[in-house]
Every structure is written in C-alpha cells, then in structure tokens.
Amino acid sequence: EWTAEEEAAMQEQEEEAASRGWGWRPRDQTAGLGLGSPSLPVEAKLLALPEAAMAVCACPGRSHVLGQSGAVYSARWHGRHACHGPSASLWTCWMPPSPALRVVEISALSAHVLLRTGAASAMSFGEPQEGKLGYLALRSAYVPTPRLVEALLGHTIVGVAAGGRHSLFLTDQGGCFTAGANHAGQCGRASSDHEALGPIRRMRLPDDCARLVQVSAGHAHTLLLSHTGRVYACGLNDRGQCGIEPLDGDGACVPEPT
C-alpha cells in the first residue's frame, strides 16, 4: 500500500514523464530496476552487469553497484537527472582512471554517494547542496562523476558514511571529519554553529572517546563506535533514534554515549 506522500511523489513523476512523452509509469518501476510493485511477491531478477560486484547500495530512486574492478555503476530514473549512458540501459558506469583511484568502499543513503579508494582517499558525487560532497560545486545542481575530496588528501581514510544531508569520513587515527548539513547537530556541533555548513570539519569527540573504529550516518543523526566498544550518538533525536530520551524533539548536538 502506498502512503499519501508516496502517492503524491509518484503522481508528480508520472506527470513529468507524461509531459516529456516517455510513456512509462514510475510506480511500475518502484523497485528501481523494473521489478514491479513492492506489494507483489515478485522473484528477484539478475541484473545484466558486465562484471561481478563486491558491494551494492539501494537509495530512493536510484541504485549503485561497486564492481570488482573498482568501477561504479549507477542506475537512476529518467527524470531530473537523466542517465547519460546508452538509451537502452538505465546504468551508467564510472571507471577509475588510475589504479590509485580504484574504489573499495561505497556508501549512499539519499542523493549523494561517498567512495573510498584503494589509496585511502575519499571521492564523492551526486547532489552537492550544503557542501555534503566535501567540496563546493556552486554552479552545478548535480556532480555526475566522482571527484576527489581534496581537503582530505593529507589523511588516510579508512571508512566513509553518507547520511541524508551530511557525510562522515573516518581516518586511520580514529578521527572523524564531517561535511554537509548540521541543522540537527548530526555533525557533532551545536545546530546554531553555521560554520558547520559546507567545508570539511573535524568532529569534536568526548574526552573519553580517544579513537573511533566505525561511523554510521542516518538521515539526520550519527552513530560512532570507539575502540573501547562504547557507542556515541548525535543529531536528530525526535523519535529517540539516538538511543537517548527525547527532550522536546531536540537533537543531541554533541556526541553522547548511548
């Protein structure tokens, strides 16, 4: 069953498709790859990709697959950001231009994608609003191919996590750099700290959290795992998603132990 919000979104997409003469209904491709309505018990279909995959990411309206060669395959609906690949395929492919840029990790949750390369650098592409790609792209509404996050080139990146409007980059020293929106404190600073919006910033951690070993990003909150096994959370907590008792719908503005 579709919610009212999903129905409205599908109706908007169908109207755009009709106005452009595409002759297809987005609601018939809600599995992202032509698998039919999610309410029907359909059999999963094998995707026709040119190589074996090592990781997958499913996002609203798009899918990303990391090939064993380090190539990144992306599929998205033919709407606002239409595919630039062959018209017969939903998929576009980015091949690393050098072995140093071979991708070994991919993270995506919404409209942007974070990549970690074999040389321990970070790359990103997608919608750049609010600086969540780790760099400014003022003249572009969408960055179609991966670009290096140059602000992090002096650091060894061992993990990446893409949230709804923010990004996390884990270093080999156990630190965490953030980029993007901080309206709910998801970047580990008070939501009134406007400097958190845009450029890469290092997250300030509690004194007893000496080193992080894993980071995870939700739509507007963040979870951090320290080397001692303690878990910290920050960001939107209106539904208790940070594991902390909600207080008037406020976010946890600085990392707190859960």
Side-chain angles (χ1 to χ4, degrees), residues 33-107:
L33 299 169
L35 302 184
S37 169
S39 63
L40 300 177
V42 298
E43 180 181 353
K45 296 182 180 180
L46 178 65
L47 304 183
L49 293 171
E51 63 172 311
M54 58 186 294
V56 295
C57 280
C59 308
R62 64 194 70 198
S63 298
H64 305 284
V65 176
L66 175 58
Q68 290 188 347
S69 68
V72 178
Y73 301 87
S74 299
R76 56 184 181 268
W77 69 286
H78 294 269
R80 193 160 47 116
H81 304 310
C83 270
H84 298 289
S87 59
S89 173
L90 284 174
W91 294 94
T92 60
C93 175
W94 178 82
M95 297 293 295
S98 69
L101 296 181
R102 178 180 178 271
V103 178
V104 297
E105 182 183 0
I106 183 170
S107 178

Side-chain angles (χ1 to χ4, degrees), residues 65-248:
V65 176
L66 175 58
Q68 290 188 347
S69 68
V72 178
Y73 301 87
S74 299
R76 56 184 181 268
W77 69 286
H78 294 269
R80 193 160 47 116
H81 304 310
C83 270
H84 298 289
S87 59
S89 173
L90 284 174
W91 294 94
T92 60
C93 175
W94 178 82
M95 297 293 295
S98 69
L101 296 181
R102 178 180 178 271
V103 178
V104 297
E105 182 183 0
I106 183 170
S107 178
L109 181 65
S110 183
H112 73 294
V113 183
L114 301 181
L115 309 170
R116 180 171 61 89
T117 72
S121 58
M123 305 183 74
S124 61
F125 69 97
E127 294 186 359
Q129 289 79 3
E130 300 170 303
K132 56 183 173 285
L133 296 183
Y135 48 79
L136 298 180
L138 300 178
R139 297 183 179 180
S140 177
Y142 191 83
V143 177
T145 57
R147 286 174 47 183
L148 276 171
V149 182
E150 295 184 357
L152 295 174
L153 287 180
H155 302 274
T156 301
I157 304 301
V158 296
V160 293
R165 294 165 55 190
H166 70 297
S167 301
L168 307 175
F169 305 90
L170 179 66
T171 74
D172 65 335
Q173 299 298 311
C176 179
F177 287 91
T178 67
N182 187 55
H183 61 283
Q186 61 265 51
C187 288
R189 293 178 293 277
S191 57
S192 60
D193 181 0
H194 297 295
E195 291 182 343
L197 197 63
I200 291 284
R201 297 286 298 275
R202 179 185 287 273
M203 178 180 286
R204 295 194 296 267
L205 301 174
D207 293 338
D208 61 346
C209 178
R211 182 166 58 88
L212 298 177
V213 296
Q214 185 184 355
V215 295
S216 183
H219 279 282
H221 76 291
T222 295
L223 292 181
L224 311 167
L225 175 63
S226 77
H227 74 289
T228 61
R230 301 192 73 183
V231 179
Y232 296 80
C234 59
L236 188 64
N237 190 47
D238 59 337
R239 298 182 180 180
Q241 56 265 56
C242 285
I244 303 168
E245 189 69 25
L247 297 174
D248 300 324

